[in-house]
Amino acid sequence: MPTEIPSLLTVGQIAKQLGVDTHRVAYVIRSRRIQPCGRAGIFRVFDEAAVHWIASELRRIAADRGEQGT
């Protein structure tokens, strides 16, 4: 029985998926102390749960600033 391989994304891939700048994603990861689930060479990789957490924090930051979108 095949098992599902989890999708792991780098900071750049997360930023592209969420439509935001890389530095915003990096800020949320650093300020919220979100730990990567592993590494792919020199890149930190994050699982789907971390991506949802990052997206949620970006929306909260945008709402606090009164920004549109994101």
Side-chain angles (χ1 to χ4, degrees), residues 3-9 37 46-48:
T3 59
E4 186 176 325
I5 299 172
S7 176
L8 301 176
L9 300 173
C37 64
F46 298 86
D47 60 12
E48 191 174 329

Side-chain angles (χ1 to χ4, degrees), residues 25-49:
V25 173
Y27 168 77
V28 169
I29 290 169
R30 188 175 53 256
S31 66
R32 304 315 190 260
R33 297 181 182 187
I34 300 172
Q35 296 297 315
C37 64
R39 291 198 171 263
I42 63 169
F43 300 103
R44 298 171 294 166
V45 290
F46 298 86
D47 60 12
E48 191 174 329

Side-chain angles (χ1 to χ4, degrees), residues 7-37 44-63 69-70:
S7 176
L8 301 176
L9 300 173
T10 65
V11 172
Q13 291 169 325
I14 294 168
K16 186 173 183 179
Q17 181 177 328
L18 299 177
V20 298
D21 293 330
T22 304
H23 72 272
R24 287 183 179 241
V25 173
Y27 168 77
V28 169
I29 290 169
R30 188 175 53 256
S31 66
R32 304 315 190 260
R33 297 181 182 187
I34 300 172
Q35 296 297 315
C37 64
R44 298 171 294 166
V45 290
F46 298 86
D47 60 12
E48 191 174 329
V51 174
H52 286 295
W53 185 9
I54 293 165
S56 171
E57 289 298 314
L58 286 168
R59 283 191 300 272
R60 189 189 62 73
I61 291 169
T70 315

